[in-house]
Amino acid sequence: MPLHPMPLLGDTGHREMVAWLTEIAGRLRKPSAILVISAHWEESVPTITSGSSPSLIYDYFGFPPESYDIKYPCSGEPVLAGQVHKVLEKAGISARLDELRGFDHGLFVPLKLMYPQADIPCAQLSLVNSLDVTTHLAIGRALQVLDYENLLVMGSGFSFHNMRALFSPKTPDIQAANEAFEDWLKETCTSAGMEEPKRAERLVHWDRAPYSRFCHPREEHLLPLHVCYGLAGKPCDPHISARILGKKSGIVYWGSESLADLSTKVPS
């Protein structure tokens, strides 16, 4: 998923990701609302934006002036926010509504690519700053009982997030570490023969995977995946590989609409 505003500025290192997100959006039925779990927001308890007209938070620095003029004027979705809060509390997970917080780039960068008309109401859900994996799996499981028709839930993170390595010259050792972890993550998310307790155990102990802490010195960019898996509770449908800044990364999808052929289709 996106690295700051670069995908919106025509950066060639994000070309594959941009193509895939556009392709995926074109295949999906247009959602009634979107709930985004962003790697760029952490709170002591899961917190949900509940304002009706959230502003944008340009939570990055050092980019060209135009990156601070990006607009994505979608509305908020207070009803959805209230439902998310209710199901979390019912599951025994203390949660909070935030009427004032805006949308960070974990929401507006991918959605500007996928749904540029900005005509779908959105809410954003924070991570918990303990970064505890089981907490985020439990948040996902709690969301299973959400009763909101045609809702798209999106985990906005990145399957490779070693910032120093991202901007370093491509070397065989970095490439080997990147690909070993991606292969492990793909197997974990896609294997139809893996029983769900085993899949959950692997995700709980993701830091035992090959080169896990090299690829994720801090796990906040991986945890949106845990929330989404907790919600889905099954192997993903397609797994899509994309090169982002020369590093192998993955996009996974769970849903009622089949996108299985996307895993072998190369976007134009």
Side-chain angles (χ1 to χ4, degrees):
M1 293 299 282
L3 177 68
H4 301 307
M6 293 165 68
L8 301 180
L9 303 179
D11 179 71
T12 57
H14 289 78
R15 187 176 293 158
E16 286 187 27
M17 187 204 77
V18 170
W20 277 124
L21 291 181
T22 304
E23 179 78 17
I24 291 167
R27 301 287 194 95
L28 295 175
R29 180 164 59 118
K30 186 176 180 180
S32 302
I34 302 172
L35 175 66
V36 176
I37 302 101
S38 174
H40 300 277
W41 184 22
E42 300 174 26
E43 296 284 353
S44 59
V45 297
T47 305
I48 313 101
T49 59
S50 58
S52 58
S53 300
S55 59
L56 298 189
I57 302 172
Y58 302 105
D59 52 336
Y60 41 77
F61 61 90
F63 290 90
E66 60 266 29
S67 63
Y68 303 94
D69 292 326
I70 293 169
K71 307 299 181 189
Y72 195 73
C74 68
S75 64
E77 221 307 36
V79 172
L80 172 61
Q83 289 186 12
V84 172
H85 182 266
K86 182 178 180 179
V87 300
L88 290 175
E89 292 278 346
K90 189 172 181 180
I93 301 171
S94 295
R96 186 171 66 87
L97 294 168
D98 189 333
E99 189 176 0
L100 300 179
R101 192 183 192 275
F103 293 146
D104 62 48
H105 78 275
L107 183 147
F108 68 76
V109 172
L111 293 189
K112 192 171 179 69
L113 295 168
M114 296 177 72
Y115 301 106
Q117 299 84 4
D119 57 353
I120 303 171
C122 297
Q124 191 171 320
L125 172 62
S126 78
L127 300 179
V128 178
N129 60 15
S130 66
L131 304 184
D132 177 69
V133 173
T134 57
T135 296
H136 291 86
L137 287 171
I139 290 170
R141 293 184 184 115
L143 297 179
Q144 291 177 0
V145 298
L146 271 177
D147 184 18
Y148 196 105
E149 186 176 356
N150 194 26
L151 174 67
L152 174 63
V153 178
M154 177 185 292
S156 181
F158 198 176
S159 63
F160 181 87
H161 201 249
N162 181 322
M163 297 299 287
R164 178 173 294 181
L166 270 173
F167 292 99
S168 297
K170 185 177 180 180
T171 61
D173 57 332
I174 292 177
Q175 181 176 349
N178 171 210
E179 295 193 359
F181 182 75
E182 285 295 329
D183 289 346
W184 176 90
L185 193 60
K186 179 179 179 180
E187 179 188 15
T188 299
C189 291
T190 64
S191 178
M194 188 180 296
E195 295 183 355
E196 294 314 313
K198 177 64 174 178
R199 195 185 324 276
E201 181 185 9
R202 282 169 67 105
L203 287 170
V204 167
H205 299 294
W206 70 274
D207 55 350
R208 298 176 185 173
Y211 301 100
S212 57
R213 282 298 178 184
F214 176 80
C215 297
H216 290 277
R218 191 173 186 271
E219 54 264 53
E220 82 288 345
H221 270 71
L222 193 62
L223 289 175
L225 172 67
H226 289 80
V227 177
C228 290
Y229 170 70
L231 172 57
K234 63 179 183 178
C236 69
D237 296 320
H239 173 283
I240 299 161
S241 290
R243 292 278 170 183
I244 300 178
L245 294 175
K247 304 302 186 291
K248 189 176 182 181
S249 61
I251 300 171
V252 296
Y253 167 80
W254 288 273
S256 57
E257 297 167 271
S258 177
L259 304 180
D261 64 321
L262 274 175
S263 59
T264 57
K265 182 182 185 297
V266 177
S268 56

